[in-house]
């Protein structure tokens, strides 16, 4: 097998390579002076099973182009099979038309990746599982439960927990985690009762005197989590923690979270942490390298991936 790393998350790619005991293939993915992307694979890949590791995180468009152009270089270099390993799949939130004359950009991105010439995709905690159907090639969508569950069990031991979905869209994710740690479930229902009036947060479920664990796929501005945490506190929650897979953390998200009702935000390293996230006491990072590494190994050996989540 060959592993190729784009520039979006080099530390994660190196950790995956270490887990697999396979060095990263020498490649140069660089810019021309006008910022066009150029990729050159510096080792023979003819007949190889190649995995390209690249999150399409900020700057999403540059990182996506790097991925597409690297795949093209591998295809033209006669790789036998190419798997795009996309720990964070950018544009996933644009997975449906939200109004007239709006795009479904997640589908467009899936088309672009397929057209570039990949044989399969390995990704993590897609915003919506249905995005797998935007591809007509195999997609493995890993879940973060093998990363989050042991940490939750270790930290909270036998304390009763309530898993909270901060919006209605994330209920399936929160319910799955609740089942694994034997916790109760609560849901935040956000509603704007009248146009121009601020949103009201309804907490569905009993959170009084309980430790609440908010679970989500993405934390971007932090607004969703901070508002939900406040609603939980207002309903008498003892403490609020957040476990989110993809720490986009744009703008002033870390400062917003640090001054919110959230005690700790735990994220995975699917996206390279920003400087503010690295230096914040409120943010902790867990690695997904062994999970992604194991999935890569199983793909290359044609073994089950779903067995990782039983
Ligand atoms: C939305 O449906 C997602 O699951 C996240 O809740 C959302 O992207 C978080 O965004 P923000 O942190 O900007 O509120």
């Amino acid at each position: 097998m060959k592993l190729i790393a784009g520039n979006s998350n080099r530390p994660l790619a190196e950790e995956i390579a270490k887990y697999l005991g396979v060095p990263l293939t020498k490649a140069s993915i660089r810019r021309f002076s006008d910022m066009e992307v150029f990729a050159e694979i510096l080792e023979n890949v003819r007949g190889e099973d190649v995995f390209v590791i690249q999150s399409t995180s900020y700057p999403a468009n540059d990182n996506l182009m790097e991925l597409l152009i690297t795949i093209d270089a591998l295809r033209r270099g006669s790789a036998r099979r190419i798997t795009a390993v996309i720990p964070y799949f950018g544009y996933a939130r644009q997975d449906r038309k939200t109004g007239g004359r709006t795009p479904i950009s997640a589908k467009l991105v899936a088309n672009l990746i397929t057209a570039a010439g990949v044989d399969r995709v390995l990704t993590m905690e897609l915003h919506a599982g249905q995005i797998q159907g935007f591809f007509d090639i195999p997609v493995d969508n890993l879940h973060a439960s093998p990363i989050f569950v042991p940490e939750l069990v270790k930290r909270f031991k036998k304390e009763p927990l309530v898993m909270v979905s901060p919006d209605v869209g994330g209920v399936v994710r929160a319910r799955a985690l609740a089942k694994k740690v034997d916790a109760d479930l609560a849901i935040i229902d956000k509603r704007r009762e009248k146009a121009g009036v601020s949103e009201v947060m309804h907490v569905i479920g009993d959170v009084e005197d309980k430790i609440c664990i908010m679970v989500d796929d993405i934390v971007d501005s932090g607004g969703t989590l901070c508002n939900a945490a406040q609603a939980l506190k207002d309903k008498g929650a003892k403490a609020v923690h957040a476990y989110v897979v993809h720490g986009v953390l744009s703008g002033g998200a870390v400062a917003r979270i640090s001054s919110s009702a959230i005690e700790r935000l735990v994220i995975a390293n699917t996206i390279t942490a920003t400087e503010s996230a690295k230096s914040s006491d409120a943010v902790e990072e867990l690695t997904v390298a062994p999970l992604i590494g194991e999935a890569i190994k199983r793909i290359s050996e044609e073994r089950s991936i779903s067995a990782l989540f039983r």
Side-chain angles (χ1 to χ4, degrees):
M1 129 196 0
K2 294 271 186 194
L3 301 174
I4 310 236
N7 290 312
S8 71
N9 195 343
R10 192 86 197 178
L12 175 62
E14 278 162 9
E15 260 192 82
I16 293 171
K18 199 167 163 203
Y19 175 87
L20 290 165
V22 174
L24 292 172
T25 295
K26 290 190 184 67
S28 167
I29 303 170
R30 55 187 193 270
R31 300 280 183 280
F32 286 159
S33 57
D34 64 353
M35 297 309 281
E36 275 185 7
V37 175
F38 179 70
E40 190 175 11
I41 315 299
L42 301 169
E43 292 176 31
N44 180 30
V45 291
R46 189 175 293 273
E48 297 280 1
D49 191 11
V50 184
F51 294 83
V52 187
I53 304 165
Q54 175 81 330
S55 278
T56 47
S57 48
Y58 176 85
N61 303 334
D62 283 1
N63 285 332
L64 177 62
M65 278 312 285
E66 273 196 10
L67 176 66
L68 299 174
I69 287 172
T70 306
I71 293 165
D72 189 69
L74 290 164
R75 178 62 58 214
R76 293 174 198 283
S78 303
R80 173 173 53 85
R81 180 169 71 168
I82 304 169
T83 302
V85 181
I86 312 175
Y88 170 69
F89 188 94
Y91 283 101
R93 284 174 286 180
Q94 297 184 44
D95 59 352
R96 64 198 177 284
K97 281 187 75 168
T98 50
R101 299 167 300 284
T102 58
I104 305 180
S105 309
K107 169 63 178 152
L108 173 63
V109 168
N111 286 349
L112 291 169
I113 293 169
T114 307
V118 288
D119 297 284
R120 51 189 309 136
V121 171
L122 171 61
T123 186
M124 248 201 103
E125 207 69 48
L126 280 171
H127 177 61
Q130 299 90 310
I131 293 171
Q132 289 166 93
F134 291 179
F135 291 89
D136 282 324
I137 52 174
V139 177
D140 292 300
N141 178 28
L142 306 178
H143 296 292
S145 51
I147 309 297
F148 287 164
V149 169
E151 209 274 342
L152 282 165
V153 171
K154 191 169 134 211
R155 183 171 292 269
F156 297 104
K157 312 243 164 23
K158 298 237 175 295
E159 280 196 76
L161 302 176
V162 183
M163 290 292 148
V164 182
S165 174
D167 56 32
V168 174
V171 176
V172 173
R173 185 176 298 113
R175 192 193 292 131
L177 211 57
K179 209 170 149 195
K180 287 199 187 295
V181 295
D182 198 19
D184 288 340
L185 180 69
I187 301 160
I188 310 274
D189 173 37
K190 268 188 297 191
R191 238 178 264 172
R192 201 178 294 278
E193 314 241 292
K194 267 193 221 146
V197 176
S198 66
E199 277 179 338
V200 183
M201 318 283 282
H202 297 281
V203 178
I204 305 168
D206 180 15
V207 297
E208 201 169 342
D209 290 328
K210 306 259 178 68
I211 297 178
C212 292
I213 310 290
M214 294 190 291
V215 187
D216 213 345
D217 58 328
I218 295 170
V219 48
D220 186 352
S221 67
T224 304
L225 289 183
C226 294
N227 294 340
Q230 194 52 53
L232 294 168
K233 279 298 220 181
D234 293 346
K235 287 283 176 194
K238 188 165 144 193
V240 183
H241 300 253
Y243 283 66
V244 181
V245 184
H246 308 296
V248 174
L249 296 171
S250 58
V254 173
R256 194 168 298 120
I257 287 160
S258 305
S259 57
S260 76
I262 302 168
E263 244 164 67
R264 273 161 66 243
L265 165 66
V266 178
I267 53 173
N269 60 347
T270 53
I271 296 173
T272 309
T274 57
E275 284 310 315
S276 57
K278 275 189 214 156
S279 58
S280 167
D281 292 337
V283 182
E284 287 171 33
E285 195 182 70
L286 299 178
T287 183
V288 291
L291 180 62
I292 294 183
E294 186 58 31
I296 290 176
K297 190 166 165 211
R298 284 166 181 256
I299 290 170
S300 91
E301 293 170 355
E302 311 286 356
R303 287 164 57 215
S304 167
I305 300 275
S306 63
L308 289 172
F309 303 99
R310 283 193 199 122

